[in-house]
Amino acid sequence: MPCTVTMTVNGKTVSREVEERTLLVTFLRDHLSLTGTHVGCDTSQCGACVVHVDGRSVKSCTTLAVQANGASVTTIEGLAAADGTLHPMQAAFREHHGLQCGFCTPGMVMSAVDLVRNNPTPTEHDIRDGLEGNICRCTGYHNIVKAVQAGAEAMNSPSAKAAAE
Amino acid sequence: MANPNGVGASVRRLEDPRFLTGRGNYTDDFKRPNMTHLVHVRSPYPHALVKGIDASAALAAPGVVAVLTGADMEADKVGSLPCGWQIHSKDGSPMKEPGHFPLARGRVRYVGDAVAVVIAETKDQARDAAELVVVDYEELPAVTASTRAVTAEAPQVHDEAPGNLCYDWHLGDKAAVDAAFAQAAHVATIDLVNNRLVPNAMEPRAALGEYDPSNGEYTLTTTSQNPHVIRLLMGAFVLGIPEHKLRVVAPDVGGGFGSKIFHYGEEAVVTWAAKKIGRPVKWTADRSESFLTDAHGRDHVSHAEMAMDQDGHFLALRVSTLANLGAYLSTFAPSIPTYLYATLLAGQYKTPAIYAEVKAVFTNTAPVDAYRGAGRPEACYLIERLVDIAAGVAGLDRAEIRRRNFVPASAMPYQTPVALQYDSGDFAKNLDIALPLVDYDGFAARKAASKAKGKLRGIGFSTYIEACGIAPSNVAGALGARAGLYECAEVRFHPTGSVTVFTGSHSHGQGHETTFAQLVAERFGVPIENVEIVHGDTSKIPFGMGTYGSRSLAVGGSALVKAMDKVERKAKKIAAHMLEAAETDIEVKDGRFTVAGTDKSLGIGDIALQAYVPHNFPLDELEPGLDEQAFYDPKNFTYPNGCHVCEVEIDPETGVTQVVAFSAVDDFGNVINPLIVEGQVHGGIVQGIGQALLENCVYDDESGQLLTGSFMDYCMPRADDVPSFTVRYHEDQPCTHNPLGVKGCGEAGTIGASAATMNAVVDALSAFGVTHLDMPATPEKVWRAIQNATPALAAE
Ligand code: FES
Ligand code: FES
């Protein structure tokens, strides 16, 4: 049975008729053409699909679109500022070479942002522990850890905090 | 002043902004008007006859456009997937090369073998309908383990390969080895398994086929590391489409690690089906499908012996290996356990005589082919484990036995007894840098401190060498390659001085859009943002062999240098004309063309403009334009080498191994972008540690089922499984035979790391009398090894 879902995605209200079984990731990728959110597995293990739903990181491959009905969803496409300035976490990933093929990157960045929001000054151990649900096959995590540390510092700077309000 | 974005600078990657903002373009991201979705019906049995396929219910399901089978492909005269490398057995006979069809014809040979495809309006509809396809299978006995496949009672995977043998190959001087063993004071022996792995690039494979009836052109968009190779193999051998009617695009590709080199049946299926149904057809693998059908890696079972003299000098090495090739020959499968493996068995050592035998067998498993390192990790692991055992036998320190046997830098170029000629390398220097870096002298104290906490500590070395930049085409051809292995580049200056480079190398994470642009920025002094690197599209790039075997910079970068040489030569002539000077008086530096001894000079931008607006141009001598193309065929392999040192701590109560430190000292020749090189090493190391401690692809030999078919069962390294690393490189030993002096860095981490890690694990367990453990050293395996230790040792 088709049903209508309405949500705010990256600040815009969208409404689509979808099958009930439609996953949030399918809704984003296929119905909204927001292909920055990726699918890396079918067992909810890899984190390539992580988006924010009402400010919390969620695996969109394991969420039905209807579960996000009425919610506010942020995807990787919505993370940078409107003028294109990268979010401090995105900038830190670039600065520290925290990505190679880029496939895990959207999920990794979205998870990292949520991690820092919950723990503004994470240690290396906290970061490794907190990103345990995101698999990266390319980087060996070394530079991701560095990027998240730097991204956390940048997110904590007064200017970044003001921008995030 | 050196160009801030030139050679040697850690330029931040130019490709990153699109990936960081979700604007990468991966194959599954593409949508076409009227596009359909394809789902495969795959065999649940490892070996069976297909007696019939009833698609009627599927065809009646909502949204279904077509159900196609192997019989439909056969009727359309679709060919077998070709194998790109031919090996000959000891007796001179060619390897067995059974048919390998995109959709099975009458018999399936591994779990996941494709039987039919369902094409529907949506992926969910195709998936639903695929469940409705009724296939009548008659199960046959199956075999998945190579060791059983060679037994007399084993089920036969292919009628044309008796005993499941693909080939029985050898390399080296058996008589010299036998003679050396007869003289040996010490012999070290090892039996080991190089565990089967699943590459698991994070982007699952995908393919999108299109057909344009207005001009008869096909387009395949695919997750490939080498689109021209796919065009050649699929066009010429499978579908019979000439190159000018077939475009293959490999857009952003989410990692490959070898698994996306090969031509897979799904690529042919979507391309063929697109014409058949008259609509674009897209297939994207689910991860479960990737586990079942991506070419796997490794899967060797080996026995090796090292003969030594009284002082621990290596006299001879004897190796025999059984390699599992899976159910069919994947594109480069036969070359991996032969010319990319046995040729590396000299390692860094001057072992004078080596003999290797390799039997390669078919089994009812997914095809096995190149996975990061491809043959070289297997060689390195075998040698480096054996050298550790040899140290014990000869009573030498493990660093010392290596040093004693290194090929000295003064012996370069060095001809090994197994075909390769190393051009450069200073192996002792790598070790000299590594030992203080890891505080080798302080290890005993660290071990004691661990012991005080109830932990076991071990340290392990791996002094690896590998062969990259494959390869001189004539040499590769003589060894069985059915393709050339050059690379192509085109450098196109535009009228206003910006540059587009077309390269046959393909980037799927390696950062070519940055590194290659650095080469151009350095050479011509153009701002790096004015350089665009185009790769991955047969309609734009003249030709290309793609990216694998750490060849992009060594071969593709060298082609780029050759093309830039040509541009510079022409630009010099134009400059001479414009400056009214003799060509011989023009000096070129950083893209400025100056009349010697004067201040008269032109930038490359001025020259490019004149080349396209040739009003003051030597038209009778030169053609207008500034656009040059070059092919580069390598003169030799390159030989990256280094010393990896791993330190582990093991909890004897749980068997859990923790990597507490890992250091890599590498010689990659010259380095263009240190940031990118270090990133390649980090990623490689984790794949090596993954093999050593976590990853294992397991088939149940009884049922033929893949037991590790998801990320829940196959243990991928995660952020909390590994530490941060110490990575150093030196540039004292540039490659002597390519213009950049580069050796390649893409696979080294993986090649060195598994041996270093296992040597550390075994060292930690040596107090319990353990001399070897097969990978992966899971907590259970380590715990059992401790429990099984002789009580006297365990009590210590
Ligand atoms: S795609 Fe969602 S966890 Fe892998
Ligand atoms: S950058 Fe390729 S998987 Fe993480």
Side-chain angles (χ1 to χ4, degrees):
Chain A
M1 280 290 287
C3 60
T4 303
V5 292
T6 303
M7 63 185 88
T8 307
V9 178
N10 300 332
K12 274 194 221 122
T13 304
V14 294
S15 193
R16 293 285 189 284
E17 188 142 303
V18 299
E19 278 190 84
E20 284 154 337
R21 63 174 165 175
T22 304
L23 297 168
L24 179 57
V25 70
T26 312
F27 183 74
L28 295 169
R29 288 181 56 81
D30 294 358
H31 295 259
L32 304 183
S33 291
L34 290 169
T35 54
T37 301
H38 295 153
V39 178
C41 73
D42 45 14
T43 52
S44 197
Q45 293 279 311
C46 77
C49 61
V50 169
V51 300
H52 294 172
V53 177
D54 291 332
R56 297 186 46 191
S57 66
V58 158
K59 285 180 169 167
S60 63
C61 73
T62 320
T63 309
L64 294 167
V66 292
Q67 288 178 285
N69 197 26
S72 172
V73 175
T74 305
T75 70
I76 190 73
E77 288 94 341
L79 197 60
D83 69 355
T85 307
L86 294 180
H87 182 279
M89 191 59 77
Q90 290 170 310
F93 267 70
R94 183 174 189 212
E95 179 61 24
H96 294 278
H97 189 29
L99 65 155
Q100 291 181 21
C101 78
F103 197 80
C104 73
T105 310
M108 198 64 86
V109 169
M110 298 309 282
S111 291
V113 168
D114 190 44
L115 184 149
V116 173
R117 281 188 190 148
N118 289 314
N119 178 0
T121 53
T123 62
E124 170 166 353
H125 179 267
D126 295 340
I127 294 168
R128 290 187 179 276
D129 205 44
L131 293 181
E132 184 267 347
N134 293 73
I135 303 176
C136 174
R137 192 54 150 170
C138 297
T139 63
Y141 305 104
H142 179 110
N143 284 342
I144 288 178
V145 171
K146 280 184 23 188
V148 176
Q149 276 167 334
E153 269 179 47
M155 280 172 69
N156 291 331
S157 77
S159 60
K161 280 200 163 142
E165 292 309 312
Chain B
M1 195 202 95
N3 188 322
N5 293 317
V7 169
S10 286
V11 177
R12 300 308 187 262
R13 297 201 323 171
L14 305 175
E15 45 273 81
D16 283 357
R18 75 172 183 275
F19 294 135
L20 283 163
T21 55
R23 293 187 179 82
N25 287 302
Y26 301 89
T27 299
D28 186 56
D29 298 344
F30 289 85
K31 274 187 202 163
R32 299 289 187 239
N34 216 18
M35 186 172 84
T36 61
H37 298 264
L38 180 148
V39 165
H40 284 77
V41 177
R42 297 188 181 277
S43 171
Y45 300 110
H47 200 184
L49 297 175
V50 178
K51 312 283 274 191
I53 300 172
D54 178 0
S56 51
L59 282 165
V64 172
V65 176
V67 178
L68 301 170
T69 68
D72 297 313
M73 287 195 117
E74 192 167 6
D76 284 352
K77 300 200 168 42
V78 172
S80 166
L81 302 172
C83 181
W85 202 298
Q86 187 179 44
I87 295 294
H88 285 83
S89 286
K90 287 171 184 168
D91 64 6
S93 61
M95 67 185 191
K96 297 294 188 300
E97 216 173 330
H100 180 194
F101 295 101
L103 296 177
R105 298 186 185 172
R107 187 161 154 193
V108 287
R109 293 184 173 83
Y110 68 101
V111 174
D113 210 353
V115 176
V117 293
V118 176
I119 302 172
E121 300 294 340
T122 71
K123 186 159 181 179
D124 282 340
Q125 287 173 334
R127 235 185 228 139
D128 290 347
E131 298 285 321
L132 302 175
V133 175
V134 181
V135 183
D136 180 10
Y137 295 102
E138 181 184 321
E139 266 190 272
L140 298 171
V143 59
T144 63
S146 59
T147 44
R148 191 161 70 85
V150 291
T151 60
E153 322 70 63
Q156 301 293 292
V157 181
H158 294 279
D159 302 338
E160 56 268 61
N164 293 318
L165 191 69
C166 179
Y167 55 75
D168 180 4
W169 174 91
H170 67 161
L171 181 69
D173 186 341
K174 184 170 190 302
V177 168
D178 290 347
F181 270 89
Q183 305 286 318
H186 304 292
V187 174
T189 306
I190 194 167
D191 286 282
L192 55 79
V193 172
N194 202 292
N195 45 326
R196 187 179 180 115
L197 301 174
V198 183
N200 276 322
M202 288 316 296
E203 178 202 23
R205 285 191 298 118
L208 165 60
E210 295 169 80
Y211 177 71
D212 183 347
S214 73
N215 55 17
E217 277 181 25
Y218 296 82
T219 302
L220 168 68
T221 306
T222 180
T223 51
S224 173
Q225 302 178 211
N226 31 235
H228 285 86
V229 175
I230 304 304
R231 186 181 66 170
L232 180 66
L233 296 175
M234 185 176 85
F237 297 96
V238 186
L239 297 181
I241 307 169
E243 279 98 334
H244 69 296
K245 293 294 182 192
L246 175 57
R247 174 184 178 195
V248 179
V249 183
D252 287 329
V253 172
F257 314 110
S259 69
K260 292 171 181 170
I261 298 172
F262 324 119
H263 176 36
Y264 287 93
E266 293 88 353
E267 294 170 320
V269 169
V270 296
T271 308
W272 164 77
K275 180 176 182 189
K276 212 160 176 67
I277 68 162
R279 295 173 63 179
V281 177
K282 184 162 82 177
W283 164 77
T284 302
D286 295 331
R287 178 59 58 185
S288 310
E289 218 176 351
S290 306
F291 268 102
L292 289 174
T293 66
D294 288 4
H296 294 170
R298 318 285 192 252
D299 205 340
H300 285 193
V301 178
S302 297
H303 173 79
E305 298 164 294
M306 182 74 87
M308 289 174 278
D309 71 9
Q310 196 59 44
D311 302 322
H313 293 113
F314 302 159
L315 301 176
L317 171 65
R318 185 152 56 201
V319 176
S320 107
T321 292
L322 185 58
N324 190 342
L325 296 180
Y328 303 99
L329 291 182
S330 173
T331 310
F332 290 111
S335 67
I336 310 304
T338 50
Y339 290 108
L340 291 174
Y341 166 68
T343 51
L344 271 303
L345 287 170
Q348 297 191 351
Y349 312 109
K350 51 189 187 221
T351 316
I354 299 175
Y355 179 69
E357 294 178 284
V358 179
K359 278 197 176 77
V361 297
F362 294 107
T363 61
N364 296 109
T365 64
V368 180
D369 204 327
Y371 165 59
R372 200 171 193 170
R376 291 151 290 162
E378 295 91 314
C380 174
Y381 179 67
L382 180 139
I383 305 161
E384 293 300 300
R385 283 293 304 121
L386 184 57
V387 167
D388 262 31
I389 288 175
V393 170
L396 290 171
D397 173 79
R398 290 172 297 148
E400 173 53 28
I401 195 169
R402 288 177 164 81
R403 193 186 293 282
R404 200 166 280 194
N405 286 285
F406 281 153
V407 174
S410 59
M412 297 292 167
Y414 175 77
Q415 178 63 51
T416 74
V418 274
L420 298 179
Q421 192 186 74
Y422 301 160
D423 69 315
S424 59
D426 186 343
F427 310 139
K429 174 169 185 149
N430 301 334
L431 188 62
D432 289 342
I433 297 172
L435 291 178
L437 186 69
V438 305
D439 184 20
Y440 189 49
D441 292 343
F443 176 72
R446 295 195 294 281
K447 189 176 170 90
S450 293
K451 192 167 180 191
K453 295 186 295 180
K455 301 274 180 72
L456 309 164
R457 201 173 183 102
I459 192 166
F461 294 93
S462 166
T463 46
Y464 76 89
I465 187 163
E466 52 150 339
C468 293
I470 185 169
S473 292
N474 53 356
V475 173
L479 302 181
R482 288 166 167 164
L485 284 158
Y486 46 79
E487 196 46 271
C488 175
E490 181 181 341
V491 176
R492 182 179 300 165
F493 266 86
H494 301 291
T496 61
S498 65
V499 187
T500 304
V501 171
F502 301 88
T503 171
S505 296
H506 182 272
S507 183
H508 31 280
Q510 296 88 342
H512 298 167
E513 291 170 40
T514 306
T515 308
F516 283 30
Q518 285 178 256
L519 295 176
V520 177
E522 168 92 14
R523 181 71 176 265
F524 293 115
V526 290
I528 198 164
E529 55 278 10
N530 288 0
V531 183
E532 193 194 16
I533 307 299
V534 175
H535 60 91
D537 186 342
T538 62
S539 75
K540 294 180 180 164
I541 295 133
F543 203 75
M545 295 309 297
T547 287
Y548 39 83
S550 308
R551 68 193 300 274
S552 295
L553 200 52
V555 189
S558 295
L560 173 55
V561 170
K562 269 187 83 177
M564 291 195 295
D565 289 344
K566 290 187 184 178
V567 166
E568 188 178 291
R569 275 203 294 278
K570 183 168 180 182
K572 203 171 165 184
K573 286 190 174 36
I574 301 169
H577 178 92
M578 291 171 72
L579 295 167
E580 297 175 339
E583 197 188 322
T584 47
D585 287 342
I586 302 290
E587 287 174 349
V588 189
K589 192 163 184 295
D590 301 335
R592 283 215 76 80
F593 296 71
T594 307
V595 182
T598 75
D599 59 358
K600 288 194 344 184
S601 81
L602 291 168
I604 188 78
D606 308 316
I607 296 167
L609 184 62
Q610 194 57 233
Y612 288 95
V613 189
H615 297 165
N616 175 18
F617 192 90
L619 282 168
D620 37 359
E621 187 195 338
L622 292 178
E623 297 167 13
L626 196 54
D627 184 351
E628 298 287 346
Q629 179 182 320
F631 282 72
Y632 175 81
D633 200 78
K635 297 186 179 66
N636 187 356
F637 288 86
T638 62
Y639 298 98
N641 60 87
C643 175
H644 287 191
V645 189
C646 179
E647 207 163 312
V648 299
E649 206 173 53
I650 294 175
D651 182 343
E653 301 295 321
T654 62
V656 170
T657 299
Q658 199 192 349
V659 177
V660 289
F662 197 107
S663 303
V665 176
D666 297 299
D667 164 13
F668 298 135
N670 294 331
V671 167
I672 310 300
N673 184 320
L675 190 70
I676 289 177
V677 166
E678 286 166 19
Q680 288 292 313
V681 175
H682 299 150
I685 289 172
V686 170
Q687 288 183 352
I689 293 176
Q691 174 171 28
L693 300 182
L694 308 166
E695 299 179 42
N696 203 21
C697 174
V698 183
Y699 281 92
D700 177 25
D701 195 41
E702 198 117 310
S703 67
Q705 295 295 323
L706 177 64
L707 299 183
T708 52
S710 80
F711 288 146
M712 302 209 286
D713 313 291
Y714 183 94
C715 189
M716 291 281 279
R718 293 168 184 269
D720 59 352
D721 291 315
V722 289
S724 291
F725 307 111
T726 305
V727 171
R728 298 282 185 276
Y729 62 86
H730 69 80
E731 296 177 282
D732 297 350
Q733 298 285 325
C735 172
T736 59
H737 56 79
N738 67 45
L740 291 166
V742 296
K743 298 186 177 180
C745 65
E747 297 162 293
T750 305
I751 291 167
S754 44
T757 307
M758 287 310 294
N759 282 344
V761 169
V762 173
D763 181 45
L765 298 175
S766 59
F768 296 92
V770 173
T771 54
H772 180 68
L773 271 189
D774 277 326
M775 301 185 286
T778 57
E780 186 206 352
K781 210 183 275 178
V782 170
W783 184 83
R784 281 189 196 284
I786 294 170
Q787 299 306 311
N788 292 340
T790 56
L793 284 165
E796 255 183 46

